[in-house]
């Protein structure tokens, strides 16, 4: 009997753990990884206690994880409640016409509502929505309870971040303030972006629609992404276009918001780097680029000068060719003629 009881308890614990898993992490694991992510990625943070007490992006994620664990869950209020007995009592205590109408009703909505009432259960949807509304009012971050967010996620600054109901955010992502994962209209169903793991999204970037952002991608600040972005790609602009591919393994950890560590499309060397040698090479390359750019500008100026000179010569030749006819067909005073000659 004891062995059977232990097995039943272990099975109950396993089922409870499975219910808590979000992208393979429990709530406690995800909160711990979020805490470490903020401490390691933010250069202004000096201790984990600062994250725990003062980082509203982290606090809002904690509220979201609790709200999502209660989202659309039906929990019995009393485990020893006898539903059949309660139904019989309810039928006997109500008016006969009402009991007949309830038993013979074809309205599935009425039946479902009464069934939920008789089973003495409650929907926790409103608990999740209340937590979400309170977190949004307190922190200025709006994350729907239905959104799926992985672990080790950092909401840097956090103000103005909006994440929709069917959005999915992978592990090790970094969002700066003003990021929007939204829909594109009034269509219901799966309508929000799916962001892979290790993605860095710059400030005030908007990703709209049911599109996929590949793992380890990088989205520039102020970009408006309307099409899918492949793995390890870098996209900037409005609408966003792919300008190259990332150099680092996980852009979300390096926090390269200035888009320096990018390999341009076409196999160029790119800019930036992590070591001093790469920094020196990037400096020399930038100097050479500036010199070549100045030389190009000088050549363009010379070409413009030659073009202007040719235009002036052509205009002078036209005046000389028409001068004789102009003097022959019109009576012009000698002073004007002398001025024309001098000109």
């Amino acid at each position: 009997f004891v062995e059977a009881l232990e097995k039943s308890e272990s099975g109950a614990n396993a089922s409870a753990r499975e219910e808590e898993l979000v992208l393979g992490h429990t709530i406690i694991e995800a909160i711990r990884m979020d805490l470490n992510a903020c401490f390691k990625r933010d250069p202004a943070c000096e201790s984990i206690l600062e994250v725990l007490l003062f980082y509203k992006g982290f606090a809002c994620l904690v509220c979201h994880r609790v709200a999502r664990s209660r989202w659309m869950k039906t929990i019995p209020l009393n485990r020893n409640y006898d539903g059949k007995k309660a139904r019989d009592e309810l039928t006997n205590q109500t008016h006969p016409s009402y009991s007949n109408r309830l038993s013979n009703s074809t309205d599935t909505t009425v039946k479902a509502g009464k069934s939920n009432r008789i089973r003495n259960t409650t929907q926790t949807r409103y608990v999740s929505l209340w937590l979400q509304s309170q977190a949004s009012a307190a922190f200025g971050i709006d994350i729907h309870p239905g959104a799926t967010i992985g672990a080790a996620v950092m909401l840097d600054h956090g103000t103005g971040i909006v994440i929709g109901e069917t959005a999915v955010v992978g592990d090790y992502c970094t969002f700066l303030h003003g990021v929007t994962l939204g829909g594109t209209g009034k269509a219901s169903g799966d309508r929000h972006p799916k962001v892979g793991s290790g993605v860095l999204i710059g400030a005030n970037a908007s990703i709209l629609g049911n599109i996929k952002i590949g793992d380890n991608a990088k989205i520039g600040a102020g970009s408006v992404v309307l099409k899918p972005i492949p793995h390890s790609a870098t996209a900037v602009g409005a609408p966003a276009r792919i300008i190259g591919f990332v150099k680092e393994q996980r852009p979300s950890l390096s926090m390269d918001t200035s888009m320096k560590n990018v390999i341009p499309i076409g196999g160029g060397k790119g800019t930036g780097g992590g070591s001093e040698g790469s920094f020196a090479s990037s400096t020399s390359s930038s100097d050479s680029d500036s010199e070549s750019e100045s030389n190009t500008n000088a050549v363009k100026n010379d070409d413009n000068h030659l073009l202007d000179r040719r235009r002036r010569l052509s205009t002078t030749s036209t005046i000389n060719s028409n001068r004789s006819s102009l003097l022959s067909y019109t009576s012009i005073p000698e002073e004007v003629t002398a001025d024309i000659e001098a000109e």
Side-chain angles (χ1 to χ4, degrees), residues 22-25 30 34 41 61 64-65 68 143-144 146-155 161-175 179-182 192-201 207 211-215 252:
V22 177
L23 297 182
H25 306 283
D34 294 341
R41 299 177 203 172
L61 274 179
H64 163 73
R65 297 188 190 284
R68 192 186 186 283
I143 306 176
H144 195 279
T148 303
I149 300 179
V153 175
M154 176 183 177
L155 305 182
I161 291 179
V162 178
I163 301 178
E165 178 184 5
T166 59
V168 177
V169 179
D171 299 338
Y172 302 101
C173 289
T174 298
F175 292 0
V179 171
T180 299
L181 303 182
H192 293 102
K194 309 297 180 288
V195 180
S197 61
V199 177
L200 173 64
I201 303 181
I207 304 175
I211 59 177
K212 181 176 177 57
I213 307 299
D215 296 341
S252 60

Side-chain angles (χ1 to χ4, degrees), residues 105-124:
S105 176
T106 57
D107 189 354
T108 58
T109 304
V110 173
K111 285 185 176 181
K114 291 301 176 183
S115 177
N116 286 338
R117 175 183 172 186
I118 292 170
R119 286 199 305 268
N120 196 18
T121 59
T122 179
Q123 283 275 2
T124 58

Side-chain angles (χ1 to χ4, degrees), residues 8 48 79 108 147 163 179 188 232 245 278 286 297 308 323 340:
S8 64
I48 292 182
R79 297 182 182 273
T108 58
I163 301 178
V179 171
S188 60
S232 301
F245 296 91
S278 60
S286 62
N297 293 333
D308 293 338
R323 182 180 295 141
I340 292 176

Side-chain angles (χ1 to χ4, degrees), residues 141-279:
I141 305 172
D142 195 350
I143 306 176
H144 195 279
T148 303
I149 300 179
V153 175
M154 176 183 177
L155 305 182
D156 196 7
H157 299 287
T159 303
I161 291 179
V162 178
I163 301 178
E165 178 184 5
T166 59
V168 177
V169 179
D171 299 338
Y172 302 101
C173 289
T174 298
F175 292 0
L176 274 77
H177 53 278
V179 171
T180 299
L181 303 182
T184 56
K186 296 175 64 178
S188 60
D190 195 0
R191 61 194 182 278
H192 293 102
K194 309 297 180 288
V195 180
S197 61
V199 177
L200 173 64
I201 303 181
N204 297 312
S206 298
I207 304 175
L208 306 177
N210 185 14
I211 59 177
K212 181 176 177 57
I213 307 299
D215 296 341
N216 304 316
K218 191 187 299 184
I219 309 298
S223 301
V224 180
V225 183
L226 303 175
K227 296 180 179 180
I229 304 298
H231 301 296
S232 301
T234 300
V236 297
R241 61 186 182 88
I242 299 174
I243 62 171
F245 296 91
V246 301
K247 297 177 68 175
E248 58 269 55
Q249 185 176 3
R250 268 195 183 141
S252 60
L253 304 184
S254 64
M255 299 292 292
D256 178 33
T257 56
S258 60
M259 303 296 158
K260 291 183 177 179
N261 297 330
V262 177
I263 301 175
I265 296 177
K269 293 182 179 180
T271 60
S275 62
E276 295 180 358
S278 60
F279 178 77

